[in-house]
Amino acid sequence: MKHILSCLSVLVLSAILSSSFIHAQATDSTIGSGGPGVAAATGPAGQSAISVVSYGAIGDGHADDTAAINSAMSACVTRALPHNGCVLYFPAGVYITTGITLRSYVHMKGDGWGTSVLMLKPHTASDVLTVPADAFNFSISGLTLDGNSGRGGIGNCFFVAPTATGPAEWNTANKQTAPVNAQKWGHVEEVMFSHCSVDGIHINAFNYMLFFDNFYAFDNGVNGLYTEGTNSGFTNFQIERNGKAGIHLAGANNRFTSGEVIWNGGAVGTVGTVGNTGVAATEAAVYVSGSRNILTAVQTEDSYTNGFFDNGADNVFMGCVSDSNGYVQKNTNASSRTASGFVIAGAGGVYIGDKVTSYRGRLPDGNFTTEWPYSLNTRRDNGKIDITYDSTNGPPLIQ
């Protein structure tokens, strides 16, 4: 009798578990569903996720998926909850597009950079992804934005349109349809910006509150990152092999922390002068013309130009390193003899615990890569200079 009761207990328990499992499957199958007759793609957990595949995107690297992505985004922003938005999911694949415009409350999510790719259609003039003036409260993660410049793509990878500024345009939690939202509250994480003919990241004035973490700007025609925005943060980054500057910082009150800017300036090299010194004046791996920015633990390395250039006001460089910058353009075995680790041409700058060095030692041409550890235009007022150096061809150059 006990044996029969035990068997009945096992059968009842199995039935309960099977019912729960079937219910869970039925619930999960709605994720990313595009409607009747459309197969749901596996996506992030949660009822708010919409897969672009469910709206017709193919992601095979050939078909134009622009219309399908826009349809999925429209479905995302017409949802009553939560807040007319959702996770817009891109399963692994290469999605060809003629340019996508992001909308408020849309959170684009892929399976990782190099795995989920938005690629500009060949011979197309457009930015890969545009954030318009009225957009705010969005995020992008686990994606590559590829400008396809090798096949005639022309534009930026990520473009934030210019906005007006002032308290009237600052959004609040309930201002979802403002014509201008200067405060973006946008979060970008684990995203690659690559192969764009112009900039990897291009942020116009007067955009506030953009936060980038763990990102990679690679092989773009002009700048890896260009910003006229303000009050934004950039952390844990690699900016590599861009034609002009790795970072061109023309905005104010931004923070850059923990990053490497390497092999930049290959398309331009060192050009121009500071005053009559002969010091390269217009290019650097990191070029700053804005004010009140803070750069901490940023290293520039192996560039064909200056390491850092401060042409702004009241900027702070703390614990930054310039290592082996100043090669002759397209020749890593010779020094340009015109580059500085730091060019100090602004006003009120503070340089604390910075370092200029060369891991390569002397090059085959007998010179170190960097000519001067820093070049100072004494006609400007500078707050504090604490830059140590070794492995340069000469001492600081002071005009």
Side-chain angles (χ1 to χ4, degrees):
M1 184 66 182
K2 289 182 179 180
H3 178 71
I4 293 172
L5 289 175
S6 297
C7 291
L8 288 173
S9 298
V10 170
L11 289 172
V12 171
L13 181 59
S14 298
I16 292 171
L17 291 174
S18 297
S19 176
S20 299
F21 178 70
I22 292 168
H23 176 72
Q25 282 188 317
T27 301
D28 290 345
S29 69
T30 63
I31 295 173
S33 176
V38 179
T42 302
Q47 292 297 314
S48 64
I50 285 180
S51 172
V52 296
V53 172
S54 296
Y55 285 79
I58 299 174
D60 64 353
H62 300 287
D64 187 340
D65 289 322
T66 307
I69 294 169
N70 286 334
S71 293
M73 192 177 306
S74 294
C76 194
V77 299
T78 55
R79 290 193 169 188
L81 292 173
H83 302 295
N84 299 93
C86 67
V87 172
L88 187 64
Y89 174 54
F90 293 79
V94 178
Y95 300 87
I96 300 298
T97 174
T98 54
I100 299 296
T101 298
L102 187 60
R103 299 169 71 175
S104 297
Y105 290 96
V106 173
H107 303 278
M108 299 175 66
K109 181 176 177 60
D111 286 335
W113 71 25
T115 302
S116 298
V117 180
L118 284 176
M119 179 179 288
L120 196 63
K121 189 175 182 178
H123 309 292
T124 299
S126 175
D127 301 315
V128 181
L129 182 63
T130 296
V131 178
D134 63 345
F136 79 110
N137 194 340
F138 57 83
S139 66
I140 308 163
S141 63
L143 288 168
T144 290
L145 306 182
D146 189 322
N148 206 5
S149 59
R151 298 179 64 194
I154 300 173
N156 302 283
C157 293
F158 181 77
F159 181 83
V160 184
T163 72
T165 188
E169 281 86 22
W170 288 15
N171 67 66
T172 60
N174 62 355
K175 189 189 287 186
Q176 298 183 31
T177 58
V180 174
N181 277 313
Q183 291 198 45
K184 292 302 180 188
W185 294 108
H187 182 210
V188 179
E189 181 176 11
E190 196 191 343
V191 175
M192 179 188 294
F193 309 88
S194 62
H195 310 311
C196 286
S197 68
V198 191
D199 299 334
I201 301 167
H202 189 104
I203 303 169
N204 284 287
F206 291 91
N207 292 289
Y208 296 68
M209 302 303 176
L210 286 159
F211 303 100
F212 291 72
D213 182 49
N214 188 24
F215 66 95
Y216 186 28
F218 172 74
D219 187 35
N220 298 292
V222 186
N223 302 297
L225 188 160
Y226 173 92
T227 180
E228 296 178 38
T230 185
N231 288 339
S232 294
F234 306 82
T235 60
N236 304 315
F237 51 84
Q238 178 91 356
I239 299 179
E240 181 178 353
R241 298 182 190 275
N242 300 286
K244 191 175 178 182
I247 298 172
H248 186 119
L249 176 51
N253 296 319
N254 297 288
R255 283 82 58 195
F256 286 79
T257 305
S258 184
E260 182 175 48
V261 184
I262 185 170
W263 293 114
N264 294 282
V268 179
T270 50
V271 296
T273 61
V274 173
N276 58 6
T277 64
V279 179
T282 59
E283 308 301 335
V286 174
Y287 181 90
V288 183
S289 60
S291 59
R292 302 181 306 282
N293 297 288
I294 301 173
L295 290 84
T296 306
V298 175
Q299 177 169 314
T300 59
E301 185 175 347
D302 285 322
S303 293
Y304 301 92
T305 182
N306 303 290
F308 297 85
F309 192 116
D310 182 10
N311 199 27
D314 302 320
N315 294 300
V316 176
F317 298 77
M318 184 165 55
C320 294
V321 177
S322 174
D323 188 351
S324 302
N325 294 293
Y327 295 121
V328 169
Q329 191 174 1
K330 300 181 180 179
N331 184 359
T332 59
N333 288 321
S335 168
S336 66
R337 302 301 300 270
T338 61
S340 296
F342 289 78
V343 177
I344 303 172
V350 175
Y351 312 85
I352 300 176
D354 300 315
K355 171 78 172 179
V356 179
T357 189
S358 175
Y359 77 92
R360 290 195 63 185
R362 292 192 181 276
L363 302 174
D365 71 350
N367 300 299
F368 294 107
T369 49
T370 306
E371 189 70 6
W372 304 283
Y374 61 87
S375 305
L376 173 64
N377 185 337
T378 56
R379 293 177 294 178
R380 300 295 188 94
D381 170 38
N382 286 281
K384 181 178 178 61
I385 298 176
D386 173 23
I387 300 174
T388 59
Y389 61 92
D390 58 47
S391 302
T392 63
N393 293 316
L397 182 61
I398 300 175
Q399 179 181 352

